[in-house]
Structure formats: structure tokens, C-alpha cells
Amino acid sequence: MVKYQRLGELLIEKNLITSNQLSEALVRQKESNFKIGEELIHSGVVTETQVLSALAESMGLPFIELKSVEISQSIIDKIPARFVTHYNFMPLNEQNGILNIAVNDPLDLCIIDEVKLLLKQQIKFFIATSLEISEAIKKYYGVGAKTMAQMIDDSGDGSIVANAEDSLSQVKTAETEDPSVIKFVNQIIQQAIKERATDVHIEPYEGRLRLRYRIDGVLYDLSVPPAIHHFQSAIIIRIKIMADLDIAEKRLPQDGRIKVTVNKENYDLRISILPTNFGESVEIRILSRKQIFFSLETLGLDKHGFHVLNSAISQPYGIILVTGPTGGGKTTTLYSCLNKINSPERKIITIEDPIEYQLEGITQIQILPKISFTFATGLRSMLRHDPDIMMVGEIRDNETAELAIRTALTGHLVFSTLHTNNAPGAVARLVDMGIEPYLISSSLSCVVAQRLVRLVCPHCKERYYPHNEVIKEFDIHLAKSDNVKFYKGRGCELCKHTGYLGRTAIFEILNVTDKIKEMILDSTPANSIKQEAVNAKMKTLRHSGWEKIISGVTTPEEVIRVTQEDTVTA
């Protein structure tokens, strides 16, 4: 057995620490009760990798980087999660009847002997860092594997609340008294925030519970222990309690909010629960509450688009609409516009659902549909406060649309959002809501359509040439790609092997000129309005995406994923 004093001497021999540093660490060790290696790591004198590499060399054991190792599912199925999590090791593979496992502390002979006894076969040990072992367990056994193993042990039969028919008293007792359920839900949320997820989806199916994170606009399955479906009711009840929802109601949709703090940062969680034939489905939207600076200049607008939008928001009245799908960045664009024109001389009021970020100097109102406080009723009340500028979170119906447009016609600048596929489509959508074309023509100043595209990961970025079929998706005059350098992400640990990291916006900005006003009055089809706008220098979403491609920040495949084929020509 290698003694800890010899570990210190070994680190000195390798010039990783000095004699003085070892002496000081030995003094501190008496108070901290750490092992000497742990004390040196904790105080920042050496890294865990340096200590373990030296220890591995002295013991004749191999040091391994787990993030570069692929582990087969067969070996994962063979070794139960409760063994792996309890003894903190990671199975690697099996060769000639010998099981290779990675451990963090090869000096803990008691644990090593127990592992050999439990697994009943010859074992070869590798040394790995505690973080990599933890990440590997999470990757292969699922998030919360240790907690799940504890829940199974505590429940005896593998479930706390096994089905929806359990009585309310049983459910409530199991939920409120079992800290493992609370810990497991916390782990799901913490992991989501760590991976930059904007949404968590908990979806019940027959015999299984599926968890997915939405990261950079794309859904990814979360690796979770298979036994999680036994705890479906307990997990959902825990979320309901956190969101102050009715835990007895399982037949109707419910919405709520949770405030949490993770790593000293505050987050708002929007909870939506829907009843399905296999139980309740949960969607959690994650919103950071930290102060964010919104700038029109940093949205990613091209020169012409910036000029059109900046001119529109500088006008004293009119209505400006931002269109796009849910989660498409519309709120960020609206906040950036408001931040640009915010000044002590102007009173700005917003009515939102929800208030995603706090804006200094702006009065923000949250709608409450349960008490009939809607966008329309809020808009009427806002007018009595003599605002110069108003933002309505979303135009959902005729009443809100007509109020917003008539407000713009009476000398106010109004911002709002619509769900349409492109900028000219906003006109058709308003007409479909029952708004007269003359009202639209008189009030509409600008329409911004936008999508979010994923950025090529800068850490694994490399050149490539896309298939000809992909290039053909773009308009022929844009796709003269002989001199264009295309880039994609190869895939690495930092981007979770997706090749993408982060997102940026592409825009289609319709400037409502006098000509377009006439076309609206004449009830001209949206496609003709779009053609006129393109003739007047409007860039379509796909054109805007192409410019992001040739600048090397995204890929053709990504732009195609979020945009439609152009049916107009410049």
C-alpha cells in the first residue's frame, strides 16, 4: 500500500509541489481531515489529474481519460447502477473474463475488496478523475442514477407511487417525506441549466417515462435510469407542489411558476401540465432572471435591415410586429427595440405573458387570464396612464388586434408579436382576424420575421463542402458557391458532439412603404407583397441565412431546417 506521505514525496520528486507546500498542507490537513492528496487539490496547489497521474505511475496502474472512451451498453446492463453509484466506479469493458473498471481512489482497499466480492470476478483497475467518473455515470446510467438507486432501495418494490389510482394521502405522504424525489427533481433542473437547456419535457408513455431537453432549439433525449417510470407520479407531484398547483387535479391542464436558485443565479421556471392517456405530461420553460443587456446592434441584423428597423422604432406612432415561432427570439428583439428608445422623456408600458426579463425604467405588467385580466383588458387600462410607447406581448384575437391598431392610429408607438411564417404573412393574419385592410394600411410601420439558427461550434470548426442537393435549396443567384468557404462542427465534448454551440437570429424585415400600403388596401395576396418588398431590397429569411452561411457562422443544413424555400426572386 502506498502511504500518503509517500504520495507527497512522489509529487515533490516530480516537481509538482515543493517541500514547503507539502509541510503547509500537512498542517492544514489536521484541521480539514482531508487526505493529503485531497488537501493539496482543495488548496489549488496541484490538480486532481496531476495527483492521480503520479499515483497511477507509482502503483503501476493505468490512468485513463473517460471522456475519450466509448462504453458498450452490454457492460452497462451487466453492472447494476446501485453498485456503480455506491462505490463510485465506472465499468469500462470485459477482456478474457477480466472486468476493467475506473476508480478514483485506488488506495481505498476496503472498497476495492468489496467490489471484487460483489461482482465475483477478476478485476483490473484504471484510475480516473472523480469528475469524469461522475459524468460517465450520468451519461451511461442516467441523470440522478445514484438518487434513483436510493429511491428503489427505500421503496422496496421499485416504486413510491406506482399508478394514478393511489390515494391522495398516500401520494402526499410519499412525496413530502421522501427527500430522494426532491433531490431527483432538483438534479433534472440543475442538469438542464448546466447544459443551457431552455425547456425540459417530461413525457409519459406506456411502460416508460421520457425526459428531453431543448438545447439551441433542438430536442435531445436525456439519459435517465429505466426505473424512472415507477416514480412518475411522485416526480410530477413534486413539481406541482413547487409550482403551487393542485396535486389532486389530474384531468385538466394546469400552469404555474417556480423560482429557483442554481449556483447563486436566479431562474424562473414556467410549468405547463397536460393530461395524457398515460399520465400527466410536464413542460418546464427555463428563464434566467439575471440582468441582460439588450442591444439592437448585437442582434445580428444586416446594414439594410438595421436601418429599416431603427427608422421604424424612431417614429412617434405606428405598429411594429415581430413574427416567428414560439422560442424564436421574438421577445429578445422586442426588448432590444424598447431598450434602444428608452429614455426619461418617454413613458413605456408593456403587458406580457410572462415577464421574461426586468427592464430598467419600463413599467411591465403580467396578464392573469384566471381573473380575466387579458392583453385586451390590459391594453385599455394602459391607455389611461398616458404612455408614449406600448408593448403587447402577443396579438391572439380580434379584440387585441383592433385595440392595438387603433392605439397606433391615435399617436402611440405599439410593439407586438404574431405567429406567422414570414413578414408579409402578418397582413393576411390580421385580415383573417377581422381587421379591415384600411386600418392595417394606416397603422402598420414594419414587420420583422425571424428564426434562430445554431452556430457552428468554434472549438471543432472545420471546412467542408455540402452536397449539391443542399446548395440547390438556395436561390441560384445566391448559390454561386465556387469561392464560398463552408464550415461545420466536427463534434466535441463542449458541443455535446452536435457540431453546434449557441444560436443567432436571421431576419426578414418588411418596410411598409407607400406602395405596400396601396397593395394592402387593394387586398393584394401576401406573395405579391413579398415580391414587391424583395424588389425594394428586403432580404428573405433564407437570403439572410445564406449570408450567415458565407460568413462561416452556420451551415446550409441548419438554415434549410428553419426556413422555407423562397418563391420570389430578387
Side-chain angles (χ1 to χ4, degrees):
M1 177 178 175
V2 180
K3 295 187 182 297
Y4 291 113
Q5 284 76 13
R6 290 185 58 190
L7 172 61
E9 293 166 5
L10 182 64
L11 296 175
I12 292 173
E13 288 175 10
K14 291 185 169 295
N15 296 318
L16 294 173
I17 63 172
T18 64
S19 298
N20 287 340
Q21 287 175 323
L22 176 59
S23 299
E24 292 169 359
L26 288 169
V27 172
R28 292 194 302 271
Q29 184 191 16
K30 294 176 182 178
E31 295 182 1
S32 66
N33 291 322
F34 285 149
K35 298 174 182 177
I36 189 62
E38 293 173 337
E39 178 58 48
L40 288 166
I41 294 167
H42 181 73
S43 58
V45 177
V46 288
T47 66
E48 185 182 13
T49 299
Q50 289 173 322
V51 170
L52 293 180
S53 296
L55 189 59
E57 183 179 332
S58 70
M59 297 182 70
L61 295 175
F63 179 79
I64 188 172
E65 290 188 358
L66 284 179
K67 61 184 179 183
S68 61
V69 176
E70 282 296 322
I71 301 170
S72 70
Q73 187 60 43
S74 60
I75 201 72
I76 300 299
D77 294 338
K78 182 176 180 178
I79 312 298
R82 62 181 182 275
F83 288 169
V84 169
T85 56
H86 181 74
Y87 294 108
N88 194 37
F89 71 89
M90 187 65 205
L92 303 173
N93 52 50
E94 194 172 16
Q95 296 176 327
N96 301 320
I98 299 174
L99 179 66
N100 295 323
I101 69 171
V103 297
N104 178 245
D105 188 359
L107 297 173
D108 194 336
L109 297 183
C110 291
I111 287 182
I112 288 173
D113 288 340
E114 285 187 41
V115 170
K116 286 181 177 178
L117 182 65
L118 287 167
L119 299 180
K120 297 178 181 178
Q121 69 179 107
Q122 284 186 287
I123 296 176
K124 180 180 179 181
F125 295 97
F126 291 71
I127 300 179
T129 66
S130 57
L131 177 61
E132 289 201 350
I133 289 176
S134 175
E135 289 296 321
I137 292 172
K138 194 180 296 179
K139 177 180 178 180
Y140 292 101
Y141 285 94
V143 173
K146 185 174 183 178
T147 307
M148 184 62 64
Q150 182 63 49
M151 289 160 69
I152 292 170
D153 289 343
D154 290 346
S155 65
D157 64 350
S159 70
I160 293 175
V161 182
N163 56 65
E165 282 71 38
D166 285 323
S167 71
L168 179 59
S169 61
Q170 288 175 320
V171 166
K172 197 165 185 177
T173 300
E175 173 54 33
T176 56
E177 291 185 356
D178 195 321
S180 294
V181 177
I182 297 172
K183 184 177 180 181
F184 185 76
V185 172
N186 290 346
Q187 286 172 331
I188 292 171
I189 295 169
Q190 289 166 353
Q191 185 68 17
I193 291 170
K194 179 182 177 182
E195 296 194 12
R196 303 179 301 106
T198 55
D199 301 84
V200 180
H201 295 263
I202 303 175
E203 304 162 321
Y205 297 97
E206 187 173 14
R208 71 186 183 106
L209 188 65
R210 185 185 196 186
L211 270 72
R212 293 193 286 176
Y213 288 165
R214 188 178 294 278
I215 303 171
D216 292 335
V218 178
L219 283 169
Y220 297 95
D221 277 311
L222 175 65
S223 178
V224 290
I228 188 175
H229 75 276
H230 293 300
F231 304 89
Q232 174 181 324
S233 294
I235 290 167
I236 292 171
I237 288 167
R238 170 59 187 164
I239 293 170
K240 283 184 175 181
I241 290 173
M242 293 172 71
D244 197 24
L245 298 177
D246 184 355
I247 63 173
E249 180 55 73
K250 298 181 181 181
R251 300 166 300 170
L252 296 173
Q254 296 190 68
D255 294 308
R257 300 180 72 178
I258 303 170
K259 292 183 178 180
V260 298
T261 301
V262 178
N263 296 328
K264 298 182 180 179
E265 187 172 333
N266 296 322
Y267 295 87
D268 277 334
L269 308 182
R270 289 169 55 191
I271 310 299
S272 179
I273 296 179
L274 287 174
T276 75
N277 56 334
F278 292 113
E280 292 172 294
S281 178
V282 181
E283 198 275 343
I284 304 173
R285 170 68 59 86
I286 301 171
L287 300 169
S288 173
R289 294 169 62 196
K290 70 179 180 181
Q291 193 67 32
I292 296 176
F293 178 71
F294 297 97
S295 168
L296 203 61
E297 288 78 5
T298 58
L299 284 179
L301 293 159
D302 62 79
K303 188 176 180 180
H304 177 70
F306 177 83
H307 173 73
V308 171
L309 185 55
N310 193 48
S311 296
I313 67 176
S314 301
Q315 299 302 313
Y317 54 85
I319 185 165
I320 296 168
L321 297 176
V322 181
T323 76
T326 301
K330 299 188 296 295
T331 301
T332 299
T333 298
L334 287 172
Y335 282 179
S336 298
C337 290
L338 293 178
N339 194 55
K340 177 79 173 176
I341 58 180
N342 187 16
S343 68
E345 296 81 27
R346 291 170 166 167
K347 183 174 180 66
I348 303 176
I349 305 179
T350 73
I351 182 163
E352 308 172 53
D353 182 28
I355 297 172
E356 295 191 13
Y357 301 100
Q358 304 293 329
L359 298 177
E360 185 68 29
I362 293 176
T363 303
Q364 295 173 269
I365 305 167
Q366 167 74 52
I367 71 165
L368 295 168
K370 289 182 179 179
I371 57 172
S372 300
F373 182 44
T374 63
F375 284 121
T377 54
L379 189 51
R380 288 194 189 92
S381 299
M382 287 161 64
L383 286 168
R384 301 189 190 103
H385 283 251
D386 188 30
D388 300 292
I389 300 162
M390 291 181 286
M391 186 187 92
V392 182
E394 184 182 344
I395 293 177
R396 297 175 178 172
D397 51 46
N398 170 270
E399 185 181 12
T400 308
E402 189 162 339
L403 277 169
I405 285 175
R406 292 191 181 278
T407 299
L409 288 172
T410 56
H412 299 85
L413 187 60
V414 180
F415 294 85
S416 192
T417 68
L418 271 179
H419 287 289
T420 64
N421 291 326
N422 54 39
V427 176
R429 181 77 181 98
L430 289 171
V431 171
D432 185 57
M433 285 183 175
I435 307 301
E436 294 293 338
Y438 75 90
L439 290 175
I440 301 171
S441 174
S442 303
S443 61
L444 193 60
S445 299
C446 177
V447 183
V448 179
Q450 67 180 74
R451 299 289 187 277
L452 294 179
V453 294
R454 291 179 293 173
L455 294 168
V456 174
C457 175
H459 306 286
C460 59
K461 188 175 182 177
E462 63 181 15
R463 283 192 65 182
Y464 86 117
Y465 194 86
H467 294 298
N468 288 333
E469 290 76 13
V470 172
I471 295 298
K472 287 177 183 177
E473 288 282 336
F474 293 87
D475 190 271
I476 190 66
H477 74 280
L478 298 176
K480 294 177 181 178
S481 54
D482 294 341
N483 298 320
V484 175
K485 294 180 180 178
F486 296 96
Y487 293 91
K488 69 174 182 178
R490 183 177 59 256
C492 64
E493 283 292 320
L494 292 170
C495 66
K496 303 293 183 185
H497 300 283
T498 63
Y500 297 99
L501 188 64
R503 290 189 290 177
T504 190
I506 57 175
F507 297 93
E508 178 177 288
I509 301 179
L510 173 67
N511 184 20
V512 184
T513 61
D514 290 340
K515 174 65 175 175
I516 290 177
K517 287 178 185 290
E518 291 176 10
M519 297 175 78
I520 294 171
L521 273 172
D522 294 336
S523 299
T524 305
N527 205 50
S528 298
I529 294 175
K530 185 174 183 178
Q531 181 64 67
E532 170 60 28
V534 168
N535 294 340
K537 298 184 179 180
M538 183 187 84
K539 292 177 181 174
T540 64
L541 284 167
R542 187 155 284 194
H543 188 161
S544 177
W546 177 259
E547 293 193 341
K548 299 289 185 184
I549 292 166
I550 61 178
S551 66
V553 300
T554 192
T555 63
E557 292 85 355
E558 180 64 7
V559 173
I560 290 169
R561 183 180 69 85
V562 300
T563 62
Q564 293 179 324
E565 182 180 0
D566 283 334
T567 57
V568 297
T569 57

